[in-house]
Amino acid sequence: MKTALWITGAVLAVIGVSAYLYVTAQQEQQAQTEKEVEEIQETVGEDHEDIGEIVRTSHQFYNNTAGYGGLQSLEMDKQIDQAEENIEHVNEMDPDSASLEEDLGEIKSLSESVAANREIEDVRMLHRYFHDLDIALNYYDGNTKIWGVTETLEAG
């Protein structure tokens, strides 16, 4: 009986220590991510306020039409109109950040695919790109989950 109690206590102690170490590591990772995002916001974000405004507006569109379960009831004609706007905007932009330029190129490619192929998955990816760029450029804090699709946030 004493042995069983001792083993149970040891197992619980190991589980407790493991949980503590896991939570601590997650908190440290979150703090590092927040620091990197702040650095990006202070450099790339401030240098590209005009692009940031377009990103904010586009992100709002995707939140309203494709977010929170909206992918199941997309009005594809509206998505195609937005995709064509995205292409037009990207063609007019001239970022001086290689990572932002790469992200805008991906947005353009995804937008061209939405316009031509009407793919729901491309709409999802556009929403994720605009979400992450909104965090990077505009201090967006509506949902701080970072999807990790952009080079801009990775460049930090």
Side-chain angles (χ1 to χ4, degrees), residues 87-132:
I87 294 165
E88 201 173 298
H89 288 305
V90 169
N91 286 338
E92 295 169 356
M93 295 178 187
D94 187 27
D96 62 359
S97 162
S99 58
L100 183 55
E101 187 171 352
E102 187 170 330
D103 291 336
L104 294 172
E106 286 298 318
I107 285 171
K108 182 177 178 182
S109 294
L110 287 166
S111 296
E112 290 169 342
S113 180
V114 168
N117 305 318
R118 306 171 72 92
E119 290 291 331
I120 292 172
E121 187 57 32
D122 292 334
V123 173
R124 178 192 322 268
M125 290 306 297
L126 280 167
H127 187 189
R128 290 180 177 180
Y129 266 91
F130 282 111
H131 173 89
D132 281 7

Side-chain angles (χ1 to χ4, degrees), residues 8-152:
T8 302
V11 167
L12 290 175
V14 168
I15 291 171
V17 169
S18 297
Y20 171 78
L21 293 174
Y22 176 78
V23 168
T24 301
Q26 292 294 347
Q27 289 172 337
E28 289 174 3
Q29 178 64 36
Q30 180 66 24
Q32 180 65 26
T33 299
E34 288 173 5
K35 182 179 180 227
E36 291 171 358
V37 168
E38 287 174 8
E39 290 172 7
I40 292 166
Q41 291 167 334
E42 291 171 1
T43 56
V44 177
E46 288 184 10
D47 291 343
H48 297 92
E49 290 180 17
D50 53 335
I51 295 173
E53 185 55 38
I54 292 168
V55 165
R56 177 184 294 111
T57 302
S58 297
H59 185 205
Q60 288 172 347
F61 170 83
Y62 288 108
N63 274 346
N64 293 335
T65 63
Y68 314 108
L71 287 172
Q72 286 73 31
S73 59
L74 281 180
E75 293 181 46
M76 195 52 79
D77 290 340
K78 287 183 179 181
Q79 297 302 318
I80 290 170
D81 290 344
Q82 180 64 37
E84 290 171 351
E85 276 187 45
N86 294 343
I87 294 165
E88 201 173 298
H89 288 305
V90 169
N91 286 338
E92 295 169 356
M93 295 178 187
D94 187 27
D96 62 359
S97 162
S99 58
L100 183 55
E101 187 171 352
E102 187 170 330
D103 291 336
L104 294 172
E106 286 298 318
I107 285 171
K108 182 177 178 182
S109 294
L110 287 166
S111 296
E112 290 169 342
S113 180
V114 168
N117 305 318
R118 306 171 72 92
E119 290 291 331
I120 292 172
E121 187 57 32
D122 292 334
V123 173
R124 178 192 322 268
M125 290 306 297
L126 280 167
H127 187 189
R128 290 180 177 180
Y129 266 91
F130 282 111
H131 173 89
D132 281 7
L133 286 177
D134 207 4
I135 290 172
L137 301 176
N138 299 316
Y139 302 89
Y140 176 73
D141 64 359
N143 174 349
T144 56
K145 176 178 177 57
I146 295 174
W147 292 102
V149 296
T150 64
E151 290 297 317
T152 301

